[in-house]
């Protein structure tokens, strides 16, 4: 059995399958894809994932993309710790949190993170390098996102709305965790893994609105998830690529 | 008995109505007056804080999000299985849920609202709605409705057209490998996509003509007795503003 995971930093989408595989005890080969040096748009990677997105899982030749469906695949295709509730209602609650993370929290968080971390890094590169990189992007959507980032084309009202959504989502997650130990109820599940990947950095990212006073359950849960051996092992894959650049 | 609050047989609500019919389930369908914003007021707003429809109430469980409701019905009730059994085919079905919910549905809703929903509103009703949407609690939904009543922006239409073209190419490519979206057999993936692809026959006929396998697939799914029976109540002017386009990524 061959399991290969192509990923970048163990946060946002990349960390989801990384944690899931380690939680289940699946042996896999890790392949670092350097997003900041555009490896995801190089022919070698596009042969695996034509959209140029990370992460990608290759399981005995089958190419599995899209990190959230990928996580359910990992739980269904491999033995090991079950990462979904045993009952249909629990799985439905789990999937609602996964959708909420992907559709509500994730996009707003990415927008702020790209404007804050990736944009300034890109503006240190030469115009020639950036033009070459943009020309290699396979989809119009991604070209648009990268261009916006490079040119810092983020209107203040758009960023403010994203920040509002992040804080609102943190409040909702906190409220749920005030009622149940884990997001889908009584058991740790993919909902915790997927939301953790986005939420772990929030207390430092938005300390003024997400902290031990405002969102105590969220902070305690971040500790609880983050101290799981599998999660610590996944986080150790970090190369600390997304440090803020001093102005 | 389970209760399903719907926007009528259109869009996301239609998906769940089809899945229930395919499984032979009895649901008490309760149509919501979407253009009176009934789902943004108590008591319905308690069940769906963001105003999303349909909503399934099964005893103490309250669920929104049509694809999630469909998987729940499939997993918790008797009747023909609507998800494939192999892990890879199940993964493929769920990627279709994602492409439909995040890309196709918001995009088609924008076109359908411009072509059918908005023109069907009388001027006085539009004015009444303008006042009414101001009391929608979820800020992003309120902003979305305001924009819908003013007409979506050219940039939003442009994004919508691009997303539709991209997803249709994916569908066409997938159908080269088999008759259905998640593999050889009919599944929830086909149910998920159909309510947002069939209307493109009238919204973008040239685009559908350029995707012949997709065109044939529409007929293949529509011919299923459970689908045909549910679809008989569909009307183009039932469209209301759908979910917003994804903000980033």
């Amino acid at each position: 059995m061959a399991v290969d995971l192509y990923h970048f930093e163990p946060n946002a989408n990349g960390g989801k399958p990384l944690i899931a595989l380690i939680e289940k005890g699946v042996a896999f080969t890790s392949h670092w894809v350097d997003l900041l040096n555009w490896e995801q748009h190089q022919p070698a990677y596009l042969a695996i994932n034509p959209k140029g997105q990370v992460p990608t899982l290759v399981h005995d030749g089958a190419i599995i993309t899209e990190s959230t469906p990928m996580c359910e695949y990992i739980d269904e295709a491999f033995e090991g710790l079950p990462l979904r509730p045993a009952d249909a209602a629990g799985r439905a609650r789990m999937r609602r949190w996964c959708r909420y993370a992907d559709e509500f929290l994730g996009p707003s968080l990415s927008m702020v993170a790209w404007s804050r971390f990736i944009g300034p890094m890109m503006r240190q590169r030469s115009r020639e390098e950036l033009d070459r990189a943009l020309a290699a992007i396979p989809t119009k959507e991604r070209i648009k996102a990268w261009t916006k980032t490079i040119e810092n084309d983020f209107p203040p009202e758009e960023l403010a709305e994203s920040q509002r959504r992040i804080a609102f989502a943190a409040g909702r997650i906190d409220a749920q965790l005030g009622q149940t130990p884990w997001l889908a109820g009584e058991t740790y599940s993919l909902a915790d893994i997927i939301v953790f990947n986005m939420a772990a950095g929030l207390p430092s990212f938005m300390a003024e609105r997400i902290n031990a006073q405002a969102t105590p359950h969220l902070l305690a849960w971040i500790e609880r998830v983050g101290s799981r051996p599998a999660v610590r092992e996944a986080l150790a894959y970090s190369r600390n690529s997304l440090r803020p650049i001093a102005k | 008995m389970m209760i399903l609050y719907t926007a009528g047989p259109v869009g996301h609500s239609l998906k769940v109505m089809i899945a229930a019919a395919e499984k032979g389930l009895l649901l008490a369908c309760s149509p919501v007056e979407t253009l009176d914003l009934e789902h943004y007021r108590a008591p319905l707003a308690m069940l769906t804080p963001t105003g999303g429809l349909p909503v399934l109430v099964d005893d103490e469980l309250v669920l929104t999000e049509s694809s999630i409701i469909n998987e729940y019905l499939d997993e918790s009730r008797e009747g023909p299985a609507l998800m494939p059994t192999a892990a890879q085919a199940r993964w493929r079905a769920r990627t279709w849920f994602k492409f439909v919910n995040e890309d196709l549905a918001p995009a088609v809703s924008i076109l359908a609202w411009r072509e059918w929903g908005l023109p069907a509103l009388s001027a006085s009703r539009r004015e009444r709605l303008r006042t009414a949407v101001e009391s929608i609690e979820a800020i992003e939904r309120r902003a979305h409705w305001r924009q819908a009543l003013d007409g979506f922006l050219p940039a939003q239409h442009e994004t919508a057209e691009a997303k539709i073209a991209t997803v249709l190419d994916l569908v066409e490519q997938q159908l080269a490998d088999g008759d259905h979206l998640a593999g050889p057999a009919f599944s929830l993936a086909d149910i998920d996509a159909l309510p947002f692809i069939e209307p493109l026959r009238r919204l973008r006929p040239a685009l559908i003509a350029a995707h012949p396998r997709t065109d044939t697939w529409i007929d293949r799914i529509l011919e299923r007795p459970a689908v045909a029976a549910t679809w008989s109540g569909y009307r183009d002017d039932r469209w209301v503003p759908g979910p917003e386009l994804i903000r980033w990524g």
Side-chain angles (χ1 to χ4, degrees), chain A residues 51 139 141, chain B residues 103 161-171:
Chain A
K51 283 189 184 172
T139 63
E141 256 176 11
Chain B
D103 295 331
E161 301 277 2
K163 286 196 183 272
I164 289 168
T166 304
V167 177
L168 275 195
D169 286 349
L170 277 176
V171 170

Side-chain angles (χ1 to χ4, degrees), chain A residues 99 141 162 164-165, chain B residues 65 75 140 163 244 247:
Chain A
R99 285 271 303 263
E141 256 176 11
S162 288
R164 180 192 73 79
R165 290 185 190 212
Chain B
E65 311 292 351
E75 291 178 356
E140 64 280 353
K163 286 196 183 272
E244 61 177 351
R247 291 168 65 70

Side-chain angles (χ1 to χ4, degrees), chain A residues 183-204:
Chain A
L183 284 171
E186 296 303 314
T187 51
Y188 172 72
S189 76
L190 292 177
D192 300 292
I193 293 177
I194 284 169
V195 175
F196 175 82
N197 272 278
M198 299 179 192
L202 290 181
S204 56

